[in-house]
Amino acid sequence: KLVWNVKFRPGSNSLAARGTYRGAAITDEAEVVWSDPADRTNIGVNAGSNAEYFDGAGAIWQADRPYATGGWGYIGDGSKETSNLRNILGTDEDAVAQTAREGAHGYKFDVPAGEYEVELWFAELKNAVKPGERVFDVLINDAIVLREFDPAKEAGLFRLAARKINADARNNAGLRVDLRPVKGQPIISGLRIRRVN
């Protein structure tokens, strides 16, 4: 077993291993897209999971955590982790879509001022939930961006419903995503924020 410590730079990194085996040259190559976890302008959250995950594009989805000043995380006392290991249709990234944070809560991101794309992932992970039984509003910085959102109605059971919304973080106030119950308990599988300007 050989180990090399390699320092990645943000963005695309090319790796190549070359050697010989029984006198023949062999090569193995990989392209890794790396995001610095300390980068507060590009954050992916694997909601409801205690594991980090690198998706097919090499982007990191960080393990869920409670909010701490100067960082990011979930807020509110009324939420819990939930999961289901069934295949989630509509994505190849089951490791993100199979877990969720469920209940009345939100997420706060202390990010620099600017314009952001907020990507939200929802999947109904429970067989017993029918359309109309889990309905909630999604707010970004106190403005409703999804009204009476119903994942089971929008996408069906065990199917990803993803939404991208542009939001503005002004005066270093950051971004806040809130899930407000209308009927039943809100659920979210993943969030990603990316600064676009």
Side-chain angles (χ1 to χ4, degrees):
K1 177 179 175 181
L2 300 173
V3 176
W4 288 272
N5 291 322
V6 177
K7 185 173 182 179
F8 288 135
R9 60 178 167 71
S12 182
N13 294 265
S14 296
L15 299 176
R18 294 180 181 86
T20 58
Y21 180 72
R22 294 184 179 173
I26 56 171
T27 302
D28 191 13
E29 298 181 21
E31 191 77 19
V32 177
V33 179
W34 184 74
S35 298
D36 183 350
D39 180 2
R40 294 186 310 139
T41 63
N42 185 354
I43 302 167
V45 180
N46 191 1
S49 176
N50 62 2
E52 291 184 345
Y53 173 71
F54 286 89
D55 66 23
I60 188 170
W61 295 80
Q62 296 184 54
D64 207 358
R65 64 185 184 204
Y67 170 76
T69 302
W72 61 268
Y74 63 85
I75 51 177
D77 296 329
S79 68
K80 64 181 181 179
E81 296 173 356
T82 189
S83 64
N84 192 314
L85 297 181
R86 286 187 56 170
N87 182 42
I88 306 299
L89 301 175
T91 181
D92 291 330
E93 310 301 345
D94 283 347
V96 175
Q98 289 171 334
T99 63
R101 181 152 297 279
E102 180 181 24
H105 71 290
Y107 282 84
K108 187 170 180 184
F109 299 88
D110 290 341
V111 295
E115 294 176 23
Y116 289 81
E117 176 188 79
V118 180
E119 184 175 357
L120 306 169
W121 283 27
F122 306 96
E124 182 51 68
L125 301 176
K126 295 184 178 177
N127 274 325
V129 176
K130 296 177 179 43
E133 294 180 346
R134 187 192 302 275
V135 181
F136 52 93
D137 293 333
V138 179
L139 297 84
I140 298 180
N141 289 350
D142 297 321
I144 295 177
V145 295
L146 296 174
R147 186 178 301 276
E148 297 188 2
F149 188 76
D150 181 342
K153 181 180 177 184
E154 291 286 327
L157 300 179
F158 308 108
R159 181 178 289 276
L160 182 69
R163 301 291 184 268
K164 291 182 180 179
I165 298 149
N166 289 332
D168 196 10
R170 296 177 187 258
N171 303 322
N172 291 320
L175 290 172
R176 181 174 166 143
V177 177
D178 288 296
L179 292 95
R180 184 187 302 160
V182 173
K183 186 174 182 184
Q185 294 295 309
I187 192 168
I188 190 163
S189 290
L191 304 90
R192 179 169 294 283
I193 63 164
R194 296 181 190 92
R195 188 171 180 174
V196 293
N197 193 0

